[in-house]
C-alpha cells in the first residue's frame, strides 16, 4: 500500500496534466476558429469593394439632354436687353430665354432638360437647309473631366452659378479661325471637318463643340464674353485662369444628310458654329456631380449617380 500510494499520485497528476492539455488544445482550437471566422468577413468586404470598382466606368462625365425649346433673334450674353439684335438662335434648356433673361429668370424657369434640375440656357445659331430651319433631334450637353492632367481633374471646381461662356467664332472667315467640328452619325468613313460634310443617306449631320474649362476665378462674364475663360495649355490651366471647371461638350444631331451646299447657319458657313451657355444649375446639384463624378473619374447618368 505504501508503494501503491505514490503510483496513485502519479496517475492522478498525469490525468490532471492530460485534462489541462486537452483544455488548452480546446481553447487554442477555439481561438483559431474565431480567427478563421473573422478572415472571411474581411475578405468579403474586400470582394465587395472590388466588385463595386468593377461596376464603375472610369470616365469623368455627367450629361444633360436638353431638347430644342424655341427660336429667337436674341442673345442675352452678347446683346443683353436688345431683342432682335442678333442672328437667329435655337435655344435649349430654359424655355423662357430671350434678350432680357437674367439668372433669377433661369432659376425659376421650366426646362426641356433631363435632369429637370438643370434650368440653364444653351443656344446656337439656327441651321437652315435650303433656307428652311432645321432643329436637332438629339441635343446632349456633356460635362467632362478631360483635356487636362489627372491631378487637375482631381481638383476640378463646380461651375459657378451665373457663369456665362461662349465657345466658337461667329465671325470666323475660314476654317483656320474655327474650333467647330462637323461629322456624320454612324458614318465614320466620312472624315470630320470644320465646315459642313456630305453625310450618306440614312445618317445624320452632327456638330461637336468644346467650351473652355479654365476660369479666372473672379468674373462670371467679361466685356468680350470670352477673356474670363481659357482653354488648357499643356494639359493644365494657365496661371491667368487657374480654376479648372468641367468641360462642357455640346453635341447636336440634325435629321439631315447629303449635299452640304444646301446648308447654312444663321451666322454663316459651318465654320461659324458657336455656342452660348448661361449656367443655372442648382449649386448643390453641380457640387455633388463634380464631387461624385468628375473628381473621382466616374461616369454618371442624368441623376448624377454612377452608371
Amino acid at each position: 500500500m505504501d508503494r501503491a500510494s505514490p503510483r496513485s499520485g502519479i496517475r492522478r497528476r498525469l490525468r490532471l496534466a492530460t485534462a489541462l492539455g486537452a483544455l488548452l488544445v480546446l481553447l487554442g482550437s477555439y481561438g483559431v476558429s474565431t480567427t478563421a471566422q473573422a478572415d472571411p468577413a474581411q475578405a468579403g468586404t474586400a470582394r465587395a469593394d472590388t466588385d463595386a470598382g468593377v461596376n464603375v466606368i472610369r470616365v469623368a462625365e455627367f450629361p444633360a439632354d436638353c431638347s430644342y425649346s424655341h427660336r429667337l433673334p436674341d442673345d442675352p450674353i452678347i446683346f443683353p436687353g436688345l431683342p432682335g439684335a442678333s442672328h437667329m438662335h435655337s435655344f435649349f434648356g430654359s424655355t423662357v430665354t430671350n434678350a432680357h433673361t437674367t439668372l433669377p429668370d433661369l432659376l425659376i424657369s421650366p426646362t426641356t432638360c433631363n435632369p429637370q434640375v438643370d434650368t440653364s440656357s444653351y443656344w446656337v445659331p439656327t441651321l437652315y437647309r435650303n433656307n428652311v430651319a432645321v432643329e436637332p433631334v438629339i441635343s446632349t450637353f456633356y460635362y467632362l473631366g478631360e483635356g487636362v492632367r489627372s491631378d487637375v481633374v482631381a481638383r476640378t471646381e463646380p461651375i459657378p452659378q451665373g457663369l456665362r461662356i461662349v465657345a466658337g467664332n461667329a465671325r470666323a472667315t475660314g476654317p483656320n479661325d474655327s474650333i467647330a467640328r462637323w461629322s456624320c452619325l454612324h458614318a465614320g468613313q466620312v472624315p470630320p471637318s470644320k465646315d459642313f460634310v456630305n453625310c450618306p443617306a440614312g445618317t445624320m449631320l452632327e456638330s461637336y463643340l468644346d467650351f473652355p474649362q479654365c476660369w479666372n476665378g473672379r468674373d462670371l462674364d467679361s466685356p468680350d464674353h470670352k477673356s474670363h475663360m481659357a482653354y488648357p495649355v499643356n494639359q493644365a490651366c494657365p496661371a491667368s485662369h487657374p480654376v479648372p471647371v468641367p468641360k462642357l461638350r455640346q453635341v447636336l444631331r440634325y435629321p439631315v444628310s447629303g449635299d452640304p451646299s444646301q446648308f447654312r447657319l444663321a451666322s454663316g458657313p459651318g465654320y461659324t458654329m458657336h455656342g452660348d451657355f448661361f449656367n443655372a444649375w442648382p449649386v448643390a446639384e453641380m457640387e455633388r456631380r463634380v464631387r461624385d463624378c468628375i473628381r473621382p473619374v466616374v461616369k454618371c447618368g442624368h441623376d448624377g449617380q454612377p452608371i
Side-chain angles (χ1 to χ4, degrees):
M1 291 294 295
D2 292 342
R3 281 181 285 188
S5 179
R7 286 199 297 270
S8 298
I10 292 171
R11 285 196 295 270
R12 283 196 299 272
R13 286 195 293 272
L14 287 173
R15 285 196 297 270
L16 180 59
T18 301
L20 287 172
L23 179 60
L24 289 172
V25 169
L26 179 61
L27 290 173
S29 298
Y30 179 77
V32 170
S33 175
T34 55
T35 303
Q37 289 172 357
D39 287 343
Q42 294 170 356
T45 301
R47 283 196 297 271
D49 291 342
T50 301
D51 291 343
V54 169
N55 291 330
V56 171
I57 301 173
R58 290 298 177 185
V59 176
E61 171 188 312
F62 64 90
D65 283 306
C66 305
S67 59
Y68 166 73
S69 172
H70 60 284
R71 273 192 304 273
L72 282 174
D74 291 358
D75 190 324
I77 293 179
I78 306 299
F79 298 110
L82 297 173
S86 176
H87 51 249
M88 189 64 72
H89 280 115
S90 299
F91 290 86
F92 309 84
S94 168
T95 62
V96 303
T97 310
N98 59 39
H100 300 286
T101 297
T102 62
L103 178 60
D105 298 324
L106 295 179
L107 293 177
I108 60 172
S109 169
T111 182
T112 67
C113 289
N114 175 19
Q116 290 193 334
V117 293
D118 181 13
T119 59
S120 304
S121 189
Y122 311 81
W123 61 96
V124 299
T126 300
L127 175 71
Y128 293 88
R129 181 179 189 178
N130 295 325
N131 293 321
V132 177
V134 179
E135 299 300 345
V137 292
I138 300 173
S139 40
T140 303
F141 301 88
Y142 295 96
Y143 293 81
L144 306 168
E146 65 169 42
V148 291
R149 297 189 312 265
S150 58
D151 62 299
V152 180
V153 173
R155 57 183 179 85
T156 298
E157 291 295 323
I159 299 175
Q161 195 176 75
L163 185 68
R164 281 148 278 183
I165 314 178
V166 178
N169 185 1
R171 298 180 179 178
T173 58
N176 291 338
D177 298 331
S178 175
I179 62 167
R181 177 189 163 195
W182 294 92
S183 55
C184 304
L185 180 64
H186 303 316
Q189 72 274 19
V190 179
S193 172
K194 292 184 178 181
D195 207 345
F196 299 122
V197 292
N198 192 336
C199 295
T203 67
M204 287 196 289
L205 181 69
E206 58 184 4
S207 167
Y208 286 76
L209 190 68
D210 284 353
F211 285 65
Q213 67 198 91
C214 299
W215 178 43
N216 68 10
R218 301 183 308 274
D219 305 308
L220 298 178
D221 198 1
S222 50
D224 64 357
H225 311 293
K226 288 193 173 185
S227 59
H228 61 300
M229 300 296 298
Y231 287 93
V233 178
N234 296 324
Q235 294 192 306
C237 285
S240 58
H241 296 75
V243 182
V245 297
K247 175 200 286 187
L248 177 62
R249 174 170 293 159
Q250 169 187 290
V251 180
L252 307 177
R253 289 171 174 144
Y254 296 87
V256 293
S257 58
D259 184 2
S261 68
Q262 301 174 4
F263 306 136
R264 69 174 177 88
L265 293 172
S267 53
Y271 50 74
T272 66
M273 184 58 160
H274 56 283
D276 297 63
F277 169 56
F278 197 150
N279 179 39
W281 278 85
V283 171
E285 290 291 339
M286 174 61 70
E287 288 179 346
R288 180 173 66 84
R289 284 164 168 79
V290 170
R291 182 193 68 220
D292 296 347
C293 310
I294 302 299
R295 290 177 188 152
V297 188
V298 172
K299 184 172 184 175
C300 292
H302 298 92
D303 59 358
Q305 300 294 331
I307 58 175

